[in-house]
Amino acid sequence: MGEDETPWLNQTEQGIWRDWLRATERIHSHLDAGLREFGLDLAEYEIFVTLSESPGRRMRMSELAGAARHSRSRLTHTISRMEKQGLVTRETCSADGRGVWATLTEGGYELLEQVAPHHVAAVRHIFVDAIDPEDFTALGRAMASVVAVAD
């Protein structure tokens, strides 16, 4: 596509795009700051939640990477750090010997239970309650459309 064919954003589109960028950064910063009070970051919290919702509180690392929206290398680094803190364990999958299970420990689950009410309150403050209910519903539809766009 040549420069003459580029469908440039108009002023309204550009403004909304930039507002979205600023808003997502503000949301992430606010949530991350709240989690840091508990010695966690947003990426670790997402891993906690994903594992806690999985059968046996465990997942194969390859599946966890996709579910928690992390690259495999980033996930491996984060899980290693969390394992040293006793929050998760890793073990080889006995079924095939190639895969690795990540399991949320009891201590990790207890930390999640402690942190979750504070995190949910922060999400409500910076996101849910900040948006008019009708706009919130429209935002949900809009984000579902974005997620549905093929790579």
Side-chain angles (χ1 to χ4, degrees):
M1 177 178 295
E3 194 172 310
D4 293 339
E5 301 170 35
T6 301
W8 297 106
L9 302 180
N10 65 37
Q11 189 172 3
T12 300
E13 292 166 337
Q14 184 70 262
I16 291 170
W17 170 244
R18 288 183 177 168
D19 284 346
W20 181 84
L21 291 173
R22 284 190 294 274
T24 55
E25 175 56 34
R26 182 173 155 108
I27 290 166
H28 287 178
S29 294
H30 180 77
L31 297 178
D32 205 51
L35 291 168
R36 294 234 181 252
E37 294 177 21
F38 296 91
L40 297 173
D41 62 27
L42 201 49
E44 293 166 330
Y45 186 81
E46 185 66 25
I47 291 168
F48 272 167
V49 170
T50 303
L51 287 174
S52 75
E53 294 172 342
S54 300
R57 296 184 192 149
R58 73 181 196 163
M59 287 182 85
R60 290 176 72 111
M61 290 281 287
S62 57
E63 294 172 4
L64 180 58
R69 298 176 312 279
H70 292 22
S71 69
R72 287 186 184 193
S73 62
R74 179 177 174 212
L75 178 69
T76 299
H77 177 73
T78 303
I79 289 289
S80 293
R81 189 173 63 246
M82 294 171 76
E83 189 174 31
K84 287 176 186 169
Q85 297 170 336
L87 303 172
V88 298
T89 60
R90 283 186 285 188
E91 61 187 279
T92 303
C93 298
S94 58
D96 64 16
R98 295 180 331 188
V100 175
W101 289 105
T103 305
L104 185 62
T105 65
E106 193 58 38
Y109 188 74
E110 289 171 5
L111 180 57
L112 175 61
E113 285 183 314
Q114 178 187 2
V115 173
H118 299 276
H119 180 71
V120 170
V123 169
R124 184 165 290 289
H125 169 76
I126 196 71
F127 187 66
V128 177
D129 293 345
I131 302 171
D132 178 88
E134 287 182 22
D135 291 341
F136 193 76
T137 300
L139 179 62
R141 285 192 309 271
M143 293 301 100
S145 296
V146 171
V147 169
V149 173
D151 290 333

